[in-house]
Amino acid sequence: METRSLPYRPPGQSDDAELSPDSSAMTRLTPDSDSESDDSDLDVDMGEAGESFKMQRRGRDVEKGGVRDKEEEEGLDADEDDEDEDEDDYPTPGRRRAASVSTVQSYQLYTPDEERAVVRKFDRKLVLFVALLYMLSFLDRSNIGNAKIAGLDLDLDLDSSRYEWVITAFYIAYICFEWMSVLWKIVPAHIYVTVIVLSWGVVASLQSVATSFAGLLVLRTLLGIGEAGFTGIPFYLSFFFKREELALRTGFFISAAPLATSFASTLAWVIVKLGSNGPIAPWRLLFLLEGFPSVLVAVIAWHTIPDGPDSAHYLTRREKKVARLRLRKDKDPNSAPGKGLNLREMLSTIIDPKSYLTAFMFFFTNMAFSSMPVFLPTIIHEMGHTVLISQALSAPPYLMSFFVVILTAYLSDRLRNRSYFVIFHALLSASGYAFMAVANHYGLGTWWRYAAIYPAAIGFFSVITIIITWTINNQESESKQGTGFAMLQLIGQCGPLVGTRLYPEEEAPLYIKGMTICSCAMFVVALLSLVLRLYLGRLNGRAKHEYGLVGEAGEELVGEKRGKHRRPFEYML
């Protein structure tokens, strides 16, 4: 059945000036740049529809079934982004007439195919590259566990207490400099990323020449400072993706951690094997080969990392326009990367209860997350395996976590739900740790304990991915997102200060106390997630009661204007 759209003609308009019909045969339903007057295009911001559209007169080329030429593709005017005018009505002499949803929905500023093309480019060019950077950073921070069983503790005379201080020094510096997450909003990203990647690459490589406990302690402190600034990558990705797209991209980013761990374990196995007969100690060769690649990649980052959608060199002029327009309802129109921070919004985030709920969820998850990569090779070795077998058996749990994190993030975005996935994976991780704690009591063998590592690792990696995304999703502006993310890291990264001290040598090989504490911590995460879901549901219910309608992200009143068609921010549960 053919669908026809009746044109709207404002008073005084001739019959030949018609609105473009809604037709699936048209390649693009975008504004015509050849209009003779600026007032021929009418912007309409449809709150209820959740999308932005533009009305236009139909040109002769459209009437003939033609496709716009190159000049027309460049004809989007800058005034499309004027969000401060009340765009829900048609301009008519002496009065304003409301536009119908069915009419306006036929005139999009960009097509779905154009949007998908932009998202695919960001996924290939941006997300994969920052995942590579995070993999290198996680490699450089966690390889000390593999270095320890490769002879680091013997050469530098590190007993259990000194080794714990080496680990702790990294996290103290890491926590103290978590405030650097807000710099993503201030410093151009290509400069910021290059500097921090270069810094941690140089320091990680210099660990290979450490000759004493004090020297290694200083280098680990500097490494923590360098890597602290990189934790804001999920906040940076929110400059490019909608909030219902963010979990999957954060999943790709976070899943680089288990991938790095599995890669590190395999590489460590090879290095220990080859370095055992070489002139350089295997642990020194390990630090050098896993640290120096970051220095090389830092040079590439300068030319690859865009400051925002408009500066992505791999996008065409038209695609940059689409990249900006698709985020209009997700963003405060007065906010953009590099424009600085809103002090009032930062203060309101600091006293917001949901900021502390997610931060403490992150704290307890990090107790398990931080200790497992550092001590897993030692735990497996203490189970009775050789050093080489311990290195090899450390890889599979993290490789499995890589695939599960991607699947979890995809489903969370698809279902637009965060809490259920946090609860499920937190309980899964808690069960894995609990099983390792009681396995020996029930006479279960070594391989049963090794099998329990899988749900433990899968659970906390997935929880971290969703918590980070959930934090960004439920802050209404970029200033609040940056502040909330900094609080998440500042409080949450205190967890490793506890986690890295849960496995002292005197409790080997079972580490029952450490396993029990991690199990309880992950159970608390599930409980806090339930509390946060109930709290956010109450906020949504209150907004629905007061406004009669719950809207989409970004339409919360982050500015001063309170239009009659504006809708309250909807928190993602």
Side-chain angles (χ1 to χ4, degrees):
M1 178 180 294
E2 182 180 356
T3 302
R4 301 184 61 186
S5 176
L6 296 178
Y8 166 72
R9 301 182 179 86
Q13 179 177 305
S14 60
D15 292 339
D16 60 344
E18 299 177 357
L19 296 174
S20 301
D22 181 18
S23 171
S24 60
M26 294 181 64
T27 304
R28 290 188 177 92
L29 300 178
T30 48
D32 191 345
S33 62
D34 295 336
S35 302
E36 296 179 357
S37 62
D38 293 338
D39 61 356
S40 62
D41 290 341
L42 305 176
D43 285 345
V44 183
D45 186 4
M46 291 306 300
E48 289 84 352
E51 296 287 350
S52 300
F53 304 95
K54 168 165 280 193
M55 305 294 290
Q56 70 176 48
R57 292 176 182 169
R58 182 174 62 187
R60 291 183 178 180
D61 59 332
V62 178
E63 292 177 336
K64 294 178 181 180
V67 181
R68 300 185 315 150
D69 58 21
K70 182 178 180 180
E71 292 181 358
E72 290 173 331
E73 288 201 14
E74 299 177 353
L76 286 175
D77 298 330
D79 60 0
E80 291 171 297
D81 296 323
D82 186 4
E83 298 279 357
D84 295 331
E85 297 181 4
D86 196 355
E87 297 171 336
D88 288 295
D89 303 324
Y90 287 111
T92 56
R95 62 188 297 268
R96 299 180 70 85
R97 176 181 174 185
S100 67
V101 176
S102 60
T103 301
V104 178
Q105 282 183 328
S106 301
Y107 304 92
Q108 296 183 337
L109 287 172
Y110 54 85
T111 67
D113 287 341
E114 287 180 307
E115 182 177 19
R116 282 192 292 267
V118 169
V119 173
R120 282 196 296 267
K121 280 193 175 183
F122 282 143
D123 284 338
R124 293 195 306 267
K125 304 289 187 177
L126 179 61
V127 176
L128 292 182
F129 185 71
V130 297
L132 171 64
L133 295 179
Y134 186 64
M135 184 179 71
L136 293 174
S137 73
F138 197 82
L139 199 67
D140 292 339
R141 86 174 66 162
S142 62
N143 59 8
I144 193 169
N146 291 319
K148 178 177 180 287
I149 64 174
L152 170 67
D153 55 342
L154 298 177
D155 290 351
L156 298 188
D157 192 24
L158 301 180
D159 56 20
S160 179
S161 176
R162 284 187 170 187
Y163 180 70
E164 287 180 353
W165 271 111
V166 168
I167 302 299
T168 304
F170 171 89
Y171 285 106
I172 290 176
Y174 200 72
I175 293 167
C176 291
F177 285 84
E178 283 296 346
W179 58 267
M180 294 170 63
S181 296
V182 301
L183 294 181
W184 290 94
K185 177 74 174 159
I186 302 173
V187 181
H190 75 284
I191 298 176
Y192 184 64
V193 172
T194 301
V195 171
I196 59 179
V197 174
L198 181 63
S199 67
W200 89 54
V202 171
V203 173
S205 301
L206 289 177
Q207 290 180 112
S208 63
V209 298
T211 58
S212 65
F213 162 69
L216 184 61
L217 192 68
V218 171
L219 289 172
R220 292 294 295 182
T221 302
L222 294 176
L223 183 64
I225 296 174
E227 293 197 10
F230 196 67
T231 57
I233 279 289
F235 173 44
Y236 169 68
L237 292 178
S238 70
F239 299 162
F240 302 87
F241 295 98
K242 297 178 180 178
R243 70 173 188 163
E244 63 269 20
E245 300 168 344
L246 194 57
L248 181 58
R249 277 74 196 181
T250 303
F252 280 118
F253 166 69
I254 295 297
S255 63
L259 186 62
T261 305
S262 62
F263 174 74
S265 299
T266 304
L267 180 61
W269 185 87
V270 174
I271 292 175
V272 170
K273 187 71 174 177
L274 296 178
S276 58
N277 298 320
I280 303 176
W283 66 268
R284 295 185 185 276
L285 192 59
L286 178 66
F287 279 140
L288 182 62
L289 293 182
E290 294 187 356
F292 190 71
S294 297
V295 178
L296 302 178
V297 175
V299 179
I300 302 175
W302 178 273
H303 303 284
T304 303
I305 294 292
D307 299 334
D310 287 338
S311 62
H313 65 86
Y314 40 80
L315 297 183
T316 65
R317 180 179 177 183
R318 169 65 185 169
E319 287 172 336
K320 291 178 181 178
K321 194 75 173 181
V322 173
R324 187 174 72 253
L325 293 176
R326 65 187 292 269
L327 297 177
R328 289 207 302 179
K329 68 187 182 69
D330 276 11
K331 299 294 182 184
D332 174 8
N334 298 318
S335 177
K339 284 192 175 181
L341 298 167
N342 186 309
L343 182 59
R344 184 173 61 180
E345 291 181 352
M346 294 177 66
L347 294 176
S348 69
T349 306
I350 292 175
I351 62 174
D352 191 343
K354 65 178 181 288
S355 298
Y356 292 94
L357 283 172
T358 53
F360 280 106
M361 288 163 59
F362 201 51
F363 170 87
F364 288 110
T365 305
N366 268 329
M367 286 176 57
F369 172 73
S370 62
S371 58
M372 180 71 79
V374 174
F375 291 98
L376 179 59
T378 303
I379 292 173
I380 298 177
H381 179 56
E382 294 294 343
M383 288 179 179
H385 301 293
T386 65
V387 172
L388 294 180
I389 295 299
S390 298
Q391 301 283 13
L393 290 178
S394 298
Y398 294 108
L399 193 60
M400 179 68 72
S401 299
F402 169 78
F403 294 107
V404 176
V405 166
I406 297 298
L407 176 62
T408 299
Y410 171 78
L411 293 176
S412 180
D413 273 346
R414 189 71 179 267
L415 300 177
R416 293 178 60 85
N417 185 280
R418 308 299 188 214
S419 58
Y420 291 156
F421 292 94
V422 172
I423 294 172
F424 172 78
H425 282 287
L427 294 178
L428 179 67
S429 185
S431 65
Y433 279 110
F435 188 87
M436 283 187 281
V438 302
N440 186 69
H441 178 74
Y442 289 100
L444 299 177
T446 300
W447 287 102
W448 283 101
R449 294 171 60 207
Y450 174 73
I453 294 174
Y454 284 81
I458 288 171
F460 63 64
F461 274 115
S462 298
V463 167
I464 283 179
T465 300
I466 303 303
I467 289 177
I468 290 175
T469 309
W470 205 4
T471 300
I472 297 174
N473 284 161
N474 288 331
Q475 299 293 349
E476 301 90 328
S477 68
E478 287 181 355
S479 292
K480 289 186 175 183
Q481 288 172 351
T483 306
F485 191 84
M487 291 178 61
L488 176 80
Q489 295 291 336
L490 185 63
I491 297 175
Q493 292 298 345
C494 291
L497 297 179
V498 179
T500 54
R501 295 178 175 272
L502 295 178
Y503 299 91
E505 289 184 356
E506 56 268 20
E507 295 187 8
L510 300 178
Y511 300 104
I512 294 177
K513 185 178 74 174
M515 301 299 181
T516 303
I517 293 175
C518 286
S519 177
C520 293
M522 295 307 297
F523 180 80
V524 172
V525 171
L527 182 62
L528 290 177
S529 178
L530 179 61
V531 172
L532 180 58
R533 177 183 172 84
L534 296 175
Y535 176 70
L536 295 178
R538 181 181 178 185
L539 293 180
N540 282 343
R542 181 185 303 169
K544 184 175 181 180
H545 175 74
E546 292 179 358
Y547 293 88
L549 181 65
V550 176
E552 290 292 335
E555 296 192 21
E556 194 264 351
L557 304 176
V558 293
E560 295 296 329
K561 181 182 175 183
R562 291 182 174 267
K564 63 180 180 179
H565 295 297
R566 296 288 183 177
R567 296 177 295 179
F569 186 86
E570 179 185 10
Y571 297 101
M572 189 173 290
L573 304 181

